[in-house]
Amino acid sequence: MNALPERITRLRDGLFAAESGTCFERATAITRSYKQSEGEPSVVRRAMALRDILRDVPIYIRDDELLVGSRSSRLGHRTAYPEYSLSLGGGGSGGAGGWPPEVAEYWPGRTLGEMSRRLHPDYVRLADRELAACYVTGTDTGFGHMIVDYEKAIRRGLSAIIEDARREAGRAAGEGDAAGADFCRAAAISCEGVVAWANRYAALAESLAAEESAGSARQAELSRIAEVCRRVPEHPARNFHEALQSFWFTHIALHIEQKGWSISTGRFDQYIYPYYKNDIDGGASADGLFELLLNLWVKFMENIDSTVKMTTFQNLTLGGSDADGRDISNELSHLCLDATLMTGFNQPALSVRWHEGAEGGFWDHVMRVIGSGLGMPALFNENIIIKALLHNGVSREDAQDFGIVGCVEAAVCGKMQGLTAGGHVNVAKALELALFDGRSLTTGEALGPRTGDASAFATFEELFDAYAKQSRWLSGVNVASAQIAGDAQKALGHCPFCSSLLDDCIQNRRDMVDGGTRYSLSGVAIMGATNAVDGLLALKKLVFEQKRFTMGEALAALRANYEGHEHMRQAFLNQSCRFGNDVAEADELANRVYAVHADFTSSHPDARGGHYTCGIWPVNGHVHSGYKTGASPDGRFSGAPLVDGVGACQGADRHGPTALLKSVARLNNVEHWAAGNTCNIKFSQSSLRGRGGLSKVSKLVETFMHLGGQELQINAVDAESLRAAQQSPAEHANLVVRVAGYSAYFTTLSADVQNEIISRVEQAV
């Protein structure tokens, strides 16, 4: 593979050398806008605010770049969103908490987070504080976690959407639908703001071109940038450059409108490919078009939430099949893989849809990229995911067009208010509460309902019944928190620009927060599921069946964090019936455990007319939730990380990768995990580079998918290399690994997360 073009190398190096900081320009602009729009409906105020932000925040064009548009006014700086929360997390100067005085004075008592948290009952606050449930996305942030209809913006242009919104606003006004007219007016205002913003970049490019030497290459590039920005996103794109720029203006405007992670691209290789093919057929330079794509990859990396190199979970879906089962990977699919391999970036996060007819050349290319050690792309079984979406009321046509959001969550592209991270439930904590009559082992707080003295349980079924009650309680607490957040969002959290690109918001005349989209499937992430399964199995086997220990002895060992009870901890750790080892009894209990919270959660409506779904994608929450979870009967110490996904607990998969994947494939991946699940597996790079290593892994993956597995992500890295990176971080600054549902630069991770990754079993092939 050729080396990176010098232009891209300079852009990358300049970004990685940029000083991190906080840009308060957006915060100041929205504050002034809100002061001026008092009395307007919330949805209109939000549209006016986006328009004013895009008009007032300073813009820049980097030397060398061919695609333009940034979230903040300075390279490497994060953007601040005071309307959601005044918790800034450091940095800045001026008013309270580092905010500029004007911002710090206006927003107290007005933020979405304050509104939500004021309404939290004590039991929600307690569960949230103990990381047992809640921490709902959207409580004091925006949504993110969705895929809008980028193709509509690129193919029709925002001018057409503005026309649709104005027309519908007129109809709504004529029918006396004031709320509908307000939303449609807001949709038009927000789209007009994005068009005006693009024209600001055109004017800046023209100004910079005038400063360049006449006839120079950079002058020509800047003139071309100006021409493109005058065209898109207002009008339909006509070529690859315009399509990429239209996509990027749309994508980054979504991030400016709201503080939300995991705003993902959908099936990028499908809606962009026609523009690439037309240019190639027209004689365009393939190298020139690829350089534009690489420039886009740099822009993804520039779009930071906290600091450079930290992910914002921008997922990009490749490959898959059409409604007739034909593979639809294409040349652009390959180029996206090459772009990630050549840059070594952790953004965009690549996901590949696997199906039985996957084209061999593309699949081989996917496996080579995985073998490079980037932890990407993640692999998704489209057959299982489509069935899961159908099970949740999505039409077959819409389900066929799913993309992956954030970590591993499936979403209907352009038609779904996903909020795929609608809450979290720590079911390892639920088992803890079942063992200690509803009290937290770490704090002593009465966190759950009274379910009885576990030392008096005579049967395993009594224990399981207590677990189920605690699990349903925590799931119910999460639903309560999510409903409160939904009410606050309806009051303050409208996103009219995003909604204008989601079917059927304009037709329904309602913002996505008000249920305007075709589908609303709010995901709830489960933490510590396999810890709960293995803990229940250990007690079932060693207490109730073999009677090696009494329940009282087991509870005493847990209270003591196994101090003085190491013999019992070893028995729990090494008992043979643990999930991830192709043991039918363990796999059956896992499905029983998962059914408790999956069935409870999915039976509840969400705040937007849809319902909740379940998933397992801990990000790094398995480490943080572990801090708040006491010693558990799977042999885990208090405060230690929980399991990193849907697979085996760290070190518990002892019978090789085939056994692990057979267990995961036996899970009810259709009915339980519509919001996706994370299955991590780690191979040493040396084994993959060995004779036929990648070919063996490829066959293993395909077998897993045939057996019904939903998702798989592979770390191809040696523990020895990770330890070396801990010792000498500067020498391994570009080492990328898979954490849970995302890849990260290893040296940017906390020591606890680094150690958890190192602790995972390194499989051989």
Side-chain angles (χ1 to χ4, degrees):
M1 183 175 295
N2 296 329
L4 277 177
E6 292 183 7
R7 175 199 306 275
I8 304 302
T9 299
R10 290 192 296 269
L11 289 169
R12 178 200 62 192
D13 293 349
L15 172 62
F16 287 176
E19 179 183 355
S20 294
T22 302
C23 169
F24 290 107
E25 298 283 359
R26 180 195 179 279
T28 301
I30 193 173
T31 302
R32 292 172 181 169
S33 179
Y34 264 59
K35 287 179 178 179
Q36 295 169 2
S37 65
E38 293 282 356
E40 290 280 3
S42 172
V43 66
V44 176
R45 297 186 80 189
R46 292 287 293 163
M48 291 176 169
L50 178 62
R51 177 199 63 195
D52 294 347
I53 291 165
L54 297 177
R55 181 194 64 206
D56 295 342
V57 171
I59 62 174
Y60 63 92
I61 295 175
R62 296 180 65 191
D63 293 342
D64 288 310
E65 72 177 355
L66 302 173
L67 299 172
V68 300
S70 301
R71 185 158 30 153
S72 68
S73 62
R74 291 184 62 187
L75 182 68
H77 280 49
R78 63 176 175 169
T79 304
Y81 298 79
E83 72 270 34
Y84 293 107
S85 171
L86 289 172
S87 175
L88 193 58
S93 62
W99 295 94
E102 180 179 5
V103 177
E105 292 166 6
Y106 179 79
W107 287 103
R110 291 183 167 96
T111 69
L112 188 147
E114 289 173 282
M115 181 177 183
S116 293
R117 295 185 186 282
R118 276 197 301 267
L119 299 174
H120 283 173
D122 288 343
Y123 66 85
V124 168
R125 292 191 178 98
L126 179 58
D128 194 21
R129 187 165 64 245
E130 297 232 9
L131 300 185
C134 307
Y135 36 118
V136 173
T137 297
T139 296
D140 47 14
T141 65
F143 294 108
H145 299 88
M146 67 183 65
I147 301 168
V148 303
D149 192 346
Y150 290 99
E151 184 176 8
K152 179 189 294 184
I154 296 166
R155 179 175 49 81
R156 295 187 66 207
L158 295 186
S159 59
I161 297 170
I162 293 168
E163 184 179 341
D164 291 344
R166 287 173 175 166
R167 181 169 54 248
E168 201 59 46
R171 291 173 179 167
E175 296 170 11
D177 179 6
D182 288 339
F183 164 70
C184 292
R185 179 162 67 99
I189 291 169
S190 63
C191 289
E192 289 165 351
V194 175
V195 170
W197 180 55
N199 279 293
R200 288 183 66 201
Y201 277 99
L204 177 58
E206 288 165 349
S207 175
L208 293 173
E211 298 174 5
E212 294 288 333
S213 300
S216 67
R218 186 56 181 164
Q219 184 184 64
E221 289 171 353
L222 288 164
S223 297
R224 176 60 178 152
I225 289 170
E227 178 187 345
V228 169
C229 294
R230 293 284 183 211
R231 173 74 191 183
V232 296
E234 182 176 8
H235 303 293
R238 299 167 297 186
N239 53 53
F240 189 62
H241 192 163
E242 291 180 355
L244 292 185
Q245 185 63 71
S246 183
F247 162 81
W248 185 249
F249 274 141
T250 302
H251 186 68
I252 207 67
L254 295 169
H255 285 84
I256 293 171
E257 181 179 42
Q258 61 157 312
K259 180 177 175 58
W261 303 269
S262 302
I263 298 174
S264 298
T265 73
R267 306 186 76 181
F268 180 86
D269 62 343
Q270 300 305 304
Y271 59 79
I272 296 291
Y273 178 63
Y275 300 95
Y276 177 85
K277 187 176 186 304
N278 286 342
D279 280 10
I280 288 293
D281 291 346
S285 162
D287 289 344
L289 298 184
F290 186 50
E291 189 174 54
L292 280 168
L293 187 69
L294 290 169
N295 199 159
L296 179 63
W297 259 230
V298 175
K299 300 303 286 185
F300 278 119
M301 287 297 294
E302 289 178 13
N303 183 28
I304 66 168
D305 173 67
S306 53
T307 60
V308 174
K309 289 189 175 181
M310 299 296 287
T311 184
T312 45
F313 305 93
Q314 302 164 95
N315 208 308
L316 188 148
T317 305
L318 299 174
S321 68
D322 62 15
D324 297 318
R326 293 173 299 207
D327 185 85
I328 53 175
S329 61
N330 54 51
E331 189 174 356
L332 184 58
S333 313
H334 287 272
L335 292 177
C336 290
L337 293 172
D338 286 339
T340 291
L341 188 58
M342 290 178 68
T343 60
F345 291 162
N346 65 330
Q347 295 195 83
L350 297 188
S351 294
V352 166
R353 289 177 45 159
W354 176 89
H355 61 105
E356 293 186 1
E359 195 270 324
F362 177 63
W363 186 246
D364 289 345
H365 197 173
V366 167
M367 297 309 300
R368 290 197 303 274
V369 176
I370 289 173
S372 73
L374 291 171
M376 292 190 282
L379 309 172
F380 295 83
N381 186 342
E382 67 172 35
N383 181 48
I384 295 297
I385 290 173
I386 288 171
K387 288 180 180 178
L389 291 171
L390 292 174
H391 181 74
N392 281 274
V394 177
S395 73
R396 176 164 290 280
E397 179 183 3
D398 291 341
Q400 181 67 40
D401 196 37
F402 78 86
I404 301 300
V405 168
C407 290
V408 296
E409 311 101 85
V412 183
C413 297
K415 298 178 173 66
M416 180 171 147
Q417 203 288 10
L419 195 60
T420 58
H424 302 77
V425 176
N426 180 351
V427 295
K429 194 73 175 181
L431 178 56
E432 178 183 309
L433 298 180
L435 292 171
F436 295 97
D437 199 17
R439 288 195 175 272
S440 167
L441 184 56
T442 53
T443 65
E445 293 274 9
L447 186 57
R450 300 289 298 271
T451 47
D453 179 2
S455 65
F457 292 163
T459 66
F460 174 74
E461 289 305 317
E462 289 181 74
L463 171 62
F464 190 88
D465 183 60
Y467 164 78
K469 289 177 181 176
Q470 298 291 350
S471 180
R472 285 192 284 265
W473 167 260
L474 291 181
S475 296
V477 173
N478 182 83
V479 167
S481 179
Q483 295 295 108
I484 290 168
D487 290 340
Q489 291 150 10
K490 290 176 182 178
L492 301 175
H494 296 91
C495 295
F497 178 64
C498 182
S499 299
S500 74
L501 294 171
L502 289 168
D503 294 356
D504 309 302
C505 286
I506 290 177
Q507 180 181 341
N508 291 335
R509 306 171 187 167
R510 292 295 182 270
D511 191 275
M512 65 181 189
V513 304
D514 294 313
T517 57
R518 186 170 305 180
Y519 305 107
S520 180
L521 300 175
S522 301
V524 179
I526 308 302
M527 304 286 183
T530 310
N531 300 100
V533 171
D534 281 0
L536 286 165
L537 283 165
L539 296 172
K540 181 175 186 285
K541 292 297 181 183
L542 301 179
V543 172
F544 293 106
E545 294 180 2
Q546 299 173 20
K547 302 188 184 302
R548 287 180 58 182
F549 311 105
T550 68
M551 183 64 87
E553 291 170 334
L555 298 179
L558 296 176
R559 287 192 184 97
N561 196 22
Y562 290 110
E563 186 174 347
H565 302 272
E566 182 61 19
H567 67 294
M568 187 185 298
R569 192 178 84 88
Q570 290 299 322
F572 288 163
L573 280 172
N574 295 305
Q575 66 95 11
S576 59
C577 193
R578 297 198 67 171
F579 181 78
N581 293 286
D582 192 20
V583 179
E585 183 179 359
D587 301 346
E588 289 165 5
L589 182 63
N591 274 320
R592 187 180 177 194
V593 165
Y594 298 152
V596 172
H597 45 78
D599 291 349
F600 177 90
T601 300
S602 63
S603 68
H604 284 73
D606 70 8
R608 290 161 295 280
H611 65 269
Y612 294 96
T613 60
C614 277
I616 296 183
W617 20 266
V619 192
N620 54 17
H622 61 297
V623 175
H624 300 145
S625 295
Y627 297 153
K628 301 283 190 175
T629 306
S632 48
D634 58 335
R636 180 191 142 274
F637 285 120
S638 178
L642 302 177
V643 64
D644 64 333
V646 76
C649 292
Q650 294 87 340
D653 42 338
R654 298 167 183 143
H655 296 285
T658 302
L660 169 65
L661 296 183
K662 285 177 71 177
S663 286
V664 175
R666 284 200 188 102
L667 299 178
N668 188 342
N669 290 299
V670 171
E671 295 182 3
H672 290 170
W673 307 124
N677 63 42
T678 298
C679 182
N680 290 306
I681 191 167
K682 184 168 76 174
F683 295 99
S684 67
Q685 278 213 344
S686 56
S687 69
L688 294 186
R689 289 170 180 163
R691 188 172 182 179
L694 268 181
S695 177
K696 292 176 184 176
V697 172
S698 177
K699 289 182 173 60
L700 182 70
V701 171
E702 292 187 63
T703 300
F704 171 67
M705 299 296 185
H706 281 294
L707 290 174
Q710 184 187 94
E711 188 270 355
L712 187 64
Q713 47 206 26
I714 300 170
N715 253 330
V717 63
D718 299 277
E720 181 180 345
S721 300
L722 299 180
R723 293 190 185 97
Q726 285 184 315
Q727 295 299 315
S728 304
E731 297 175 15
H732 299 82
N734 292 323
L735 174 62
V736 174
V737 297
R738 196 76 179 187
V739 181
Y742 70 104
S743 288
Y745 286 88
F746 183 75
T747 58
T748 67
L749 300 170
S750 68
D752 285 349
V753 177
Q754 290 178 347
N755 290 333
E756 189 278 321
I757 295 169
I758 292 171
S759 74
R760 300 173 190 172
V761 169
E762 196 170 287
Q763 303 284 3
V765 290

